[in-house]
């Protein structure tokens, strides 16, 4: 099979007109603005999550409830019970926001689905934040169920459960940013899934088990995990007289990590969109 | 399929999209355990194109010719190794993000919309193309109606048939007007009704807004019926570019003869045995490209005498773009489809 040189072809293979070209210029179409496109992505993601992810949300909730029941035999109230309940509740967020979002972006990237967004004039942050927000809000029912069940099981007060209104979005932001970044940076989708699973396991082991019994190195790893601060903030509110300054401090760390991890995810999206 | 009246609004001098020296090589991948190494692939090799305003310009070539790679570079999705792409006065290689504000792209596979309903897919895409909610919904309704998708509006894309899903993706391309549509095999899996809906929607936009279309296909019939001009791509190179009729003139002296045998060719008939080395075989089908009087002789042979008993069907046809592709030295013997 020979390569036919262009110049010997009948009629000429060049697709270019020889005469002077009159190139027309056009106004660029409008850019989609950040907020409206974020809302559009959020709505779309929420609807697809509803269709595709409800069974997985059940899995996440059952997993956390199962852990609570298991730990009931080991832990007998006090501050350890507080960590277990807070850890299990935040675990639902980790499962959905970290694990499932890493899988979603990993698959989207591998299957060419990012092309769809990359050929629309939408800010990268809108795609990442919209998806992250949808996954995070999808965790709300599971987290609530787990928290209430845990409080009842361990006899903890339900008084300050409202703090979840801050814990879920902030821990959700931190974990979903991480999950999205995993999915977008992993060279292969299976690797994204593995990273998501590992992150989830870390959240499980380091978040649910009471920290006092951990060796020094593991406690250091626990401090590095963004979900830890959500767990701590939530756990502190079970006390008779919570130290709100410390709660706020933990939430602020969570928020800071959230901003950083979402920024990393946005950068990863840009990188993945143009190959 | 395409109403030729629309050709009247073509603007032959206005170049919408100019491609020069576009080259892209996929790097070699070293083999790991269990997976063989793949050599580097030059997917596009010095491609030059001028696409004019209001035309339907086609890229025709067999699988792996480099069509998708070429359009991905033209839509800013992939950075070329060398070369330039200018669309409506904007340098897309230097400013790939501008492509999204000039053109609408239908990728060969679209999975981003899979879990949405047809209606939400179209609306969301419109919003991300910069429309406000009211505009997006109005255009969504109009486009779904135009393409006959309204009865499916509430269904999830994943639960549609392949052709319906493709049509729904095409619908989302049309929400939010763009002067250039880049469509990578838009009609794959579609039945004739859906195809007609696609081409009449394209024609309407051409007539009303002077929309230009860049269409990727490996379907010869589609290329001949809908394209104004076509670039034939083979192993990353443009081997010809002209109107379909102009290209076919290059092989006007030939006739294509197709013979379909009942079970197998009667090679005991000497005339048939002699034909074999000139035929492209595909199962029971032989395809021959012959001068007209040779073709007549072949038809006389196979329709009379011993060969006729073994013959299931035969056709005699004027050349198609497939014959042009082969005559130009196209490497894939059977890469193009007629359907
Ligand atoms: N991501 C990739 N990595 C390595 N090689 C690739 C990649 N994508 C495509 N190729 C190779 O580049 C060549 C051109 O591929 P391309 O997808 O552009 O072909 P195509 O003309 O669109 O084919 P089809 O009709 O099947 O869609 C092929 O040889 C293909 O194997
Ligand atoms: Mg292709």
């Amino acid at each position: 099979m020979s390569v036919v040189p262009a110049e010997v072809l009948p009629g000429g293979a060049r697709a270019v007109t020889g005469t002077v070209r009159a190139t027309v210029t056009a106004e660029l179409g409008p850019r989609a603005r950040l907020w409206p496109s974020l809302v559009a992505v959020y709505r779309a993601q929420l609807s697809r999550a509803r269709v595709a992810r409800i069974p997985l949300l059940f899995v996440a909730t059952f997993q956390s409830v199962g852990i609570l029941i298991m730990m009931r035999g080991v832990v007998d109230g006090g501050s350890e019970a507080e960590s277990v309940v807070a850890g299990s509740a935040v675990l639902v967020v980790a499962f959905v926001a970290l694990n499932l979002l890493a899988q979603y972006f990993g698959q989207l990237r591998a299957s060419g689905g990012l092309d769809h967004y990359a050929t629309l004039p939408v800010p990268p942050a809108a795609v990442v934040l919209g998806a992250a927000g949808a996954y995070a809000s999808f965790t709300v029912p599971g987290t609530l169920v787990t928290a209430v069940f845990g409080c009842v099981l361990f006899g903890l007060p339900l008084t300050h459960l409202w703090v979840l209104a801050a814990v879920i979005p902030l821990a959700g932001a931190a974990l979903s940013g991480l999950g999205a970044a995993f999915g977008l940076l992993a060279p292969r989708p299976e690797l994204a899934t593995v990273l998501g699973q590992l992150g989830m396991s870390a959240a499980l082991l380091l978040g649910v088990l009471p920290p006092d019994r951990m060796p020094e190195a593991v406690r250091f790893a626990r401090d590095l995990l963004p979900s830890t601060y959500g767990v701590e903030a939530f756990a502190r509110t079970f006390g008779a007289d919570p130290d709100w300054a410390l709660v706020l401090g933990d939430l602020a760390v969570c928020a800071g990590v959230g901003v950083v991890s979402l920024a990393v995810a946005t950068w990863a999206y840009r990188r993945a969109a143009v190959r | 399929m395409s109403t030729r009246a629309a050709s009247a609004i073509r603007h032959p001098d206005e170049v919408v999209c100019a491609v020069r020296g576009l080259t892209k090589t996929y790097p070699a991948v070293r083999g790991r355990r269990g997976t063989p190494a793949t050599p580097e692939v030059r997917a596009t090799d010095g491609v030059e194109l001028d696409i004019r305003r209001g035309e339907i310009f086609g890229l025709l070539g067999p699988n792996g010719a480099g069509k998708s790679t070429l359009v991905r570079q033209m839509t800013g999705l992939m950075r070329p190794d060398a070369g330039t792409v200018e669309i409506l006065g904007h340098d897309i290689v230097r400013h790939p993000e501008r492509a999204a504000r000039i053109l609408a792209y239908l990728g060969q596979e679209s999975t981003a919309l899979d879990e949405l309903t047809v209606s939400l897919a179209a609306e969301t895409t419109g919003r991300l193309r910069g429309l406000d909610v009211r505009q997006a919904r109005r255009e969504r309704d109009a486009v779904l109606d135009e393409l006959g998708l309204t009865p499916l509006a509430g269904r999830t894309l994943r639960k549609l048939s392949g052709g319906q899903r493709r049509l729904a993706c095409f619908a989302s391309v049309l929400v939010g007007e763009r002067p250039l549509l880049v469509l990578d095999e838009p009609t794959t899996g579609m039945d004739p009704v859906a195809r007609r809906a696609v081409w009449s929607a394209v024609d309407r936009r051409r007539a009303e807004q002077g929309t230009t279309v860049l269409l990727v296909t490996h379907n010869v019939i589609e290329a001949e019926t809908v394209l104004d001009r076509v670039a034939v791509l083979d192993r990353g190179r443009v081997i010809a570019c002209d109107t379909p009729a102009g290209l076919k003139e290059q092989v006007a002296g030939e006739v294509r003869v197709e013979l379909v045998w009942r079970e197998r060719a009667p090679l005991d008939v000497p005339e048939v045995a002699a034909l074999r080395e000139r035929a492209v075989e595909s199962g029971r089908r032989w395809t021959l490209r012959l001068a007209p009087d040779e073709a007549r002789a072949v038809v006389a042979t196979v329709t009379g005498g011993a060969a006729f008993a073994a013959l299931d069907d035969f056709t005699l046809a004027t050349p198609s773009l497939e014959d042009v592709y082969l005559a130009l030295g196209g490497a894939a013997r059977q890469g193009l489809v007629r359907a």
Side-chain angles (χ1 to χ4, degrees):
Chain A
M1 295 181 192
S2 66
V3 177
V4 182
E7 50 280 6
V8 304
L9 289 173
R14 285 168 62 90
V16 177
T17 45
T19 52
V20 181
R21 303 177 290 121
T23 313
V24 270
T25 41
E27 294 278 304
L28 294 172
R31 233 185 228 123
R33 280 171 302 123
L34 177 67
W35 190 244
S37 44
L38 197 161
V39 172
V41 172
Y42 177 84
R43 268 193 60 210
Q45 289 288 353
L46 207 59
S47 98
R48 67 168 276 286
R50 250 204 313 271
V51 178
R53 301 284 171 259
I54 283 192
L56 287 171
L57 182 64
F58 272 108
V59 172
T61 313
F62 279 135
Q63 169 181 277
S64 286
V65 167
I67 288 169
L68 284 172
I69 293 173
M70 228 165 59
M71 295 301 281
R72 183 75 185 89
V74 185
V75 167
D76 43 331
S79 76
E80 293 196 334
E82 291 167 6
S83 323
V84 169
V85 173
S88 313
V90 174
L91 185 63
V92 179
V93 182
F95 184 88
V96 176
L98 189 100
N99 192 11
L100 296 186
L101 199 58
Q103 278 182 38
Y104 170 68
F105 272 117
Q107 277 160 14
L108 193 66
R109 179 172 169 220
S111 63
L114 278 185
D115 290 1
H116 175 75
Y117 292 108
T119 48
L120 293 169
V122 50
V127 178
V128 172
L129 290 177
Y135 274 71
S137 34
F138 200 56
T139 68
V140 171
T143 313
L144 277 179
V145 167
T146 308
V148 171
F149 182 82
C151 287
V152 172
L153 192 67
F154 286 91
L156 298 175
L158 295 163
T159 336
H160 295 309
L161 275 194
W162 55 263
V163 80
L164 281 177
V167 170
I168 294 176
L170 294 178
L175 291 169
S176 59
L178 206 61
F182 282 168
L184 291 166
L185 291 175
R188 280 178 298 141
E190 311 88 75
L191 219 54
T193 306
V194 169
L195 284 175
Q197 292 280 1
L198 282 179
M200 230 285 291
S201 304
L204 174 76
L205 293 173
L206 303 176
V208 176
L209 299 180
D212 308 337
R213 302 187 188 174
M214 291 177 183
E216 194 56 39
V218 179
R219 225 180 302 174
F220 177 70
R222 183 175 182 274
D223 288 344
L224 287 182
L225 197 72
S227 60
T228 302
Y229 301 92
V231 175
E232 299 254 295
F234 185 28
R236 285 182 209 284
T237 63
F238 289 124
D241 182 20
D243 185 340
W244 293 109
L246 285 179
V247 172
L248 269 183
D250 281 332
L251 289 178
V253 174
C254 235
V257 176
V259 169
V260 172
S261 82
L262 287 170
V264 170
T266 303
W267 167 82
Y269 170 88
R270 268 184 217 277
R271 210 189 76 121
V274 176
R275 275 174 283 173
Chain B
M1 279 189 214
S2 159
T3 55
R4 291 296 89 185
S7 311
I9 50 90
R10 279 167 58 197
H11 309 264
D13 307 327
E14 298 179 22
V15 173
V16 163
C17 173
V19 174
R20 295 290 176 274
L22 209 61
T23 300
K24 171 78 193 179
T25 306
Y26 291 109
V29 178
R30 268 194 302 142
R32 293 204 201 86
R33 234 172 351 125
T35 54
T38 56
E40 64 170 32
V41 180
R42 178 155 291 208
T44 57
D45 191 357
V47 171
E48 319 241 315
L49 299 170
D50 272 335
I51 301 171
R52 301 169 196 151
R53 190 154 118 88
E55 74 179 348
I56 303 187
F57 188 94
L59 293 173
L60 176 73
N63 291 145
K67 307 179 296 292
S68 295
T69 306
L70 177 57
V71 294
R72 287 174 49 82
Q73 292 173 89
M74 295 171 70
T75 49
L77 286 170
M78 186 182 275
R79 223 179 285 286
D81 299 336
T84 60
V85 176
E86 193 181 300
I87 301 178
L88 289 164
H90 299 276
D91 180 346
I92 298 302
V93 176
R94 191 170 306 157
H95 306 285
E97 75 287 349
R98 289 191 192 166
R101 296 165 68 188
I102 305 175
L103 57 84
Y105 169 69
L106 177 62
Q108 189 165 9
E109 295 127 20
S110 13
T111 48
L113 303 172
D114 263 5
E115 282 151 330
L116 304 182
T117 61
V118 173
S119 153
L120 189 59
E123 181 190 328
T124 306
T125 308
R127 297 212 58 196
L128 300 185
R129 210 167 263 138
L131 303 184
D132 66 34
V133 183
R134 289 226 330 277
Q135 272 176 312
R137 293 198 174 145
R138 199 175 51 233
E139 290 203 23
R140 169 199 71 188
D141 292 340
V143 168
L144 293 189
D145 187 47
E146 180 179 8
L147 296 176
L149 281 171
T150 309
L152 299 178
R155 299 261 298 271
T156 307
L157 258 74
R158 223 223 305 246
K159 301 217 169 111
L160 298 178
S161 74
Q164 290 171 331
R165 193 181 317 143
R166 204 73 188 130
L167 191 61
C169 290
F170 177 69
S172 65
V173 165
L174 296 184
V175 180
E177 186 192 324
R178 287 288 186 263
L180 175 63
L181 305 179
V182 179
L183 311 173
D184 196 343
E185 307 204 10
T187 55
T188 311
M190 285 188 193
D191 65 14
V193 179
R195 279 171 201 249
R196 236 178 341 262
V198 168
W199 298 125
S200 60
V202 163
D203 267 340
R204 167 160 331 144
R205 277 156 190 79
R206 238 154 45 113
E208 290 171 4
Q209 298 145 16
T211 306
T212 309
V213 181
L214 172 59
L215 174 77
V216 172
T217 181
H218 60 244
N219 183 332
V220 171
I221 298 296
E222 188 164 272
E224 290 181 8
T225 45
V226 306
L227 299 180
D228 296 312
R229 286 196 308 141
V230 53
V232 183
L233 217 64
D234 186 52
R235 287 171 298 173
R237 297 160 55 95
V238 176
I239 58 172
C241 181
D242 201 344
T243 60
L247 284 178
K248 284 198 284 188
E249 250 167 45
Q250 297 184 14
V251 286
E254 280 188 1
V255 178
R256 192 178 66 235
V257 181
E258 298 208 340
L259 306 173
V260 183
W261 305 108
R262 279 183 203 282
E263 276 154 21
R264 65 195 126 71
L267 293 172
D268 48 330
V269 180
E271 291 92 335
V272 174
L275 277 179
R276 185 177 193 177
E277 64 183 25
R278 302 182 57 185
V280 176
E281 290 182 53
S282 133
R284 295 182 297 126
R285 179 186 299 270
W286 284 19
T287 304
L288 297 137
R289 291 177 174 78
L290 304 167
D293 48 344
E294 278 182 308
R296 263 192 299 277
V298 167
V299 170
T301 308
V302 297
T303 52
F308 189 61
L311 192 67
D312 190 22
D313 190 15
F314 77 94
T315 50
L316 204 64
T318 51
S320 71
L321 283 180
E322 185 186 18
D323 303 284
V324 176
Y325 168 78
L326 291 170
L328 290 171
R333 300 309 289 172
Q334 295 169 355
L336 302 172
V337 297
R338 267 167 281 132

